[in-house]
Amino acid sequence: MKEIGEELRAAREEHGVSIEEAAEDLNLRASQIENIEEGNLKVFKDVFYLKSFIRGYAKYLGLDEEKIMDDFNEYFFEETSKIPIAEIEKASKEKEKEKQVEQKVVSPYTMEDKPKSKVIPIIVTLIILLLIFLIGYIVVTEYINPETEDDGKVITYLEN
């Protein structure tokens, strides 16, 4: 990475651009430009942002950005391939544990009951009560106000 940083620094100095000017033009901090030129990758938290910064910086300086990116990818591959397998497995297991904590296994037996809505039973109860009230009203009004025959006599339902 030092070689890439030195190439970027040389191009910047050749163009007579200061670190502050480059940072302002690229919408970066001067410290980010300095770290790229010095090859300090560990200060960048995300490799994808770093690649974007390097690509933009190379393009800004008029360098062949594809060549710079190929060099960066080659360097990055060499660096990451030096990581011991034990560390990779450890990091992988830790990531799996985090995923397991985030995702609970849900089956019909372990699933949490969702609170049930009480609206539907209340509506059904009200309809039943209304029907009972209507039936009672009809029965009572028929009993109290019996129908009359055509000759005007009252029909009684109860006979003495």
Side-chain angles (χ1 to χ4, degrees):
M1 182 62 197
K2 286 259 187 203
E3 296 82 22
I4 296 170
E6 289 172 2
E7 185 177 348
L8 293 169
R9 176 181 294 143
R12 177 182 57 76
E13 290 172 350
E14 184 179 307
H15 286 84
V17 177
S18 71
I19 290 177
E20 290 75 21
E21 287 177 290
E24 186 176 330
D25 291 342
L26 293 169
N27 205 15
L28 297 173
R29 292 186 300 261
S31 63
Q32 290 174 312
I33 298 288
E34 289 171 351
N35 284 317
I36 289 171
E37 289 181 354
E38 292 172 9
N40 297 332
L41 299 183
K42 295 186 188 221
V43 297
F44 295 96
K45 293 182 180 178
D46 193 335
V47 174
F48 297 106
Y49 286 125
L50 175 60
K51 284 179 77 167
S52 175
F53 296 160
I54 292 173
R55 181 183 297 275
Y57 193 27
K59 186 175 182 179
Y60 170 77
L61 295 172
L63 299 174
D64 182 6
E65 59 189 278
E66 291 303 318
K67 179 192 171 297
I68 298 285
M69 294 316 303
D70 287 342
D71 291 346
F72 176 80
N73 288 334
E74 186 177 313
Y75 165 79
F76 197 73
F77 175 75
E78 288 175 12
E79 280 298 308
T80 56
S81 64
K82 294 178 184 175
I83 299 173
I85 293 177
E87 280 188 42
I88 295 172
E89 289 174 347
K90 181 181 175 186
S92 178
K93 287 178 183 177
E94 288 174 3
K95 197 167 192 173
E96 284 297 318
K97 285 180 183 177
E98 289 174 7
K99 284 183 182 180
Q100 288 176 354
V101 169
E102 291 174 8
Q103 298 175 349
K104 292 182 179 177
V105 177
V106 178
S107 74
Y109 303 106
T110 61
M111 184 170 43
E112 293 179 18
D113 289 335
K114 293 180 182 176
K116 296 180 181 177
S117 174
K118 295 179 181 179
V119 175
I120 294 177
I122 291 173
I123 291 173
V124 169
T125 304
L126 288 174
I127 291 173
I128 291 171
L129 289 173
L130 182 64
L131 286 173
I132 291 172
F133 175 77
L134 286 175
I135 292 170
Y137 178 79
I138 292 170
V139 168
V140 168
T141 55
E142 286 295 317
Y143 180 71
I144 293 177
N145 298 326
E147 295 181 20
T148 57
E149 289 184 3
D150 290 338
D151 61 357
K153 292 184 182 176
V154 174
I155 301 173
T156 58
Y157 291 100
L158 297 175
E159 299 213 13
N160 298 346

